[in-house]
Amino acid sequence: MEKLTGLEAVTRAYDLLKDEQACRTQARILKDTLDRMKRQEMTLSIIGQFKRGKSSLSNAILGEDILPVGIVPITSAVTKVTYGGLSGKVAFENGAVIPVEIDELSKYISEQENKNNELEVASVHITCLSKFLKNGIVFVDTPGVGSFHTNNTLTATEYLKESDGVIFLLSVDSPINQIEMDFLAKSKEYAGKLYFVVNKIDLISDTELKSYLEYCRKILSQLMDVCVDDIDLVPVSAKTGEGIDKLKSMVVHDQKRLKSQIMDESAKRKLRDLIQETITQLHFFWKAMNMEYACLDEAFETMEKGCLDIYEQARKATDGYEIALNEVKLKVSELIKKLFSMDYSYFIENWEQEEQHMDRQEYEQKLHEILESIVPTMKELLLYRDENAYKVVRRIANVNLLAKRLREIERRLD
């Protein structure tokens, strides 16, 4: 059987799902993946347990002290850094984007100031003139895993699915533990390239460092199922700068010469996971289609009331209509998830305050379009009380065929 490249496989999967209403979320992810691959925009995330010095190392790599650091868990939201003049923006779950001064970032990504991400920050975006970023690297600092703040671990885990390369950070002040081993297992499922880095080497002697590196290599070789000699560990000190240039050189070398291969391998790994997620989604869709009419009647009655409540709340908006419309979309998606156990997401567009130009009339029109169409759309999607036998059989056959073709793509990856 002929093997598919990552780009070929993602393209075929997207073509299968782009018109399937039951798989809107997955189709959007595939479209974003294709766009990034065409732009050759490689996402490199730094990931590890809390208090390993991720933000300090990120600053050292970038050559700029732009990320807040501290003695307590700092990062509660994903922070993306790209090349450009120094600036900062905060993007919220509802699509709102606000400019922020670099020295005010902690208000949004500090666990002390934004506990459990109560502000609903989706991500923070920073641009700076670091040469490390100049050729298309999107550098990402993620929340630390394994702390008391479980939402941080969930955020970091979810962002693995968007990472092409991962800097997996350990530190000499603690041996590799089960939390890190579990997270490494997740990392290798998605990343096309892993860089193993040991931080805080300024705290121990050369002899102690040698012993620690040998210990780490043995553990990592077992986890990665490779020979000990194939584990390349980069010892660094974010505090003194030792080893930083070597790490940067490794990444830049790979980014210049192997970027396409890394991104292609990353796309394959992510697609395997997404195919399983899509088949699960189709299972929930199938389950919803086969609900007893009494249950479906109750679900749709609840949905109609829920949409009416959403509409009454949405009518109270007096400005910021683009953001208000995004909030309506999020509420509708949440309602569908609750009633039918299905992901039915809308595209949430980011809007900066100066970009918002929608007037009241346009807002009301789009509000009606969403809320008046969603119940009929779901009824059509689930063939609610549809007595056309041919249509029902055809729909069932199409769902089964879709799952079959997705599995075929998965088999042809490698």
Side-chain angles (χ1 to χ4, degrees), residues 112-130:
Q112 283 187 310
E113 298 183 67
N114 181 20
K115 291 182 179 179
N116 296 317
N117 197 17
E118 292 173 347
L119 297 178
E120 297 185 341
V121 173
S123 59
V124 173
H125 299 248
I126 299 173
T127 57
C128 70
L129 295 172
S130 170

Side-chain angles (χ1 to χ4, degrees), residues 30-191:
L30 290 171
K31 179 65 165 59
D32 291 343
T33 301
L34 284 174
D35 289 343
R36 287 196 309 103
M37 294 181 78
K38 290 174 182 177
R39 294 195 304 267
Q40 284 291 283
E41 185 180 270
M42 189 175 86
T43 299
L44 177 68
S45 299
I46 181 165
I47 286 173
Q49 195 169 1
F50 74 106
K51 304 319 299 168
R52 293 295 184 259
K54 293 191 314 314
S55 296
S56 296
L57 179 59
S58 296
N59 285 336
I61 291 172
L62 296 170
E64 302 266 2
D65 289 331
I66 55 178
L67 295 169
V69 297
I71 61 172
V72 296
I74 287 292
T75 311
S76 62
V78 165
T79 303
K80 303 178 184 179
V81 190
T82 55
Y83 187 78
L86 188 62
S87 68
K89 294 179 180 179
V90 177
F92 296 89
E93 297 288 352
N94 64 2
V97 179
I98 63 170
V100 62
E101 297 295 330
I102 299 299
D103 57 6
E104 294 180 352
L105 284 174
S106 62
K107 294 180 181 178
Y108 303 95
I109 60 177
S110 165
E111 192 57 64
Q112 283 187 310
E113 298 183 67
N114 181 20
K115 291 182 179 179
N116 296 317
N117 197 17
E118 292 173 347
L119 297 178
E120 297 185 341
V121 173
S123 59
V124 173
H125 299 248
I126 299 173
T127 57
C128 70
L129 295 172
S130 170
K131 292 181 180 179
F132 180 73
L133 306 171
K134 200 168 185 180
N135 293 312
I137 290 179
V138 177
F139 188 76
V140 182
D141 185 26
T142 64
V145 301
S147 73
F148 170 77
H149 309 286
T150 55
N151 63 295
N152 292 358
T153 299
L154 293 172
T155 300
T157 302
E158 189 62 27
Y159 203 78
L160 276 176
K161 298 179 181 180
E162 297 188 36
S163 304
D164 300 304
V166 165
I167 295 175
F168 196 86
L169 185 62
L170 304 166
S171 66
V172 300
D173 53 357
S174 174
I176 299 177
N177 56 46
Q178 191 61 50
I179 292 172
E180 289 170 316
M181 288 190 285
D182 291 343
F183 208 70
L184 175 57
K186 291 186 178 71
S187 299
K188 69 178 186 177
E189 289 179 14
Y190 301 108

Side-chain angles (χ1 to χ4, degrees), residues 32 60 153 196 206 243 245 292 357 383:
D32 291 343
T153 299
F196 296 108
D206 290 344
D245 286 342
E292 293 183 1
H357 305 297
L383 302 178

Side-chain angles (χ1 to χ4, degrees), residues 132 135 137 247-257:
F132 180 73
N135 293 312
I137 290 179
L247 173 60
K248 291 168 66 174
S249 295
M250 289 174 62
V251 175
V252 170
H253 175 274
D254 290 345
Q255 193 264 348
K256 286 182 177 179
R257 293 169 175 78

Side-chain angles (χ1 to χ4, degrees), residues 374-391:
I374 187 58
V375 172
T377 296
M378 289 300 298
K379 287 182 177 180
E380 175 71 18
L381 185 61
L382 298 177
L383 302 178
Y384 176 61
R385 292 192 175 277
D386 197 317
E387 297 179 359
N388 186 326
Y390 173 80
K391 185 177 179 182

Side-chain angles (χ1 to χ4, degrees), residues 282-319:
L282 290 172
H283 169 74
F284 283 125
F285 165 68
W286 175 256
K287 189 175 178 181
M289 279 182 63
N290 285 276
M291 289 172 63
E292 293 183 1
Y293 276 149
C295 295
L296 279 173
D297 290 342
E298 183 178 349
F300 278 114
E301 183 179 347
T302 302
M303 187 176 179
E304 288 172 352
K305 290 179 180 178
C307 287
L308 183 59
D309 290 341
I310 293 171
Y311 175 71
E312 292 300 328
Q313 288 295 318
R315 289 188 63 196
K316 296 177 182 178
T318 56
D319 56 12

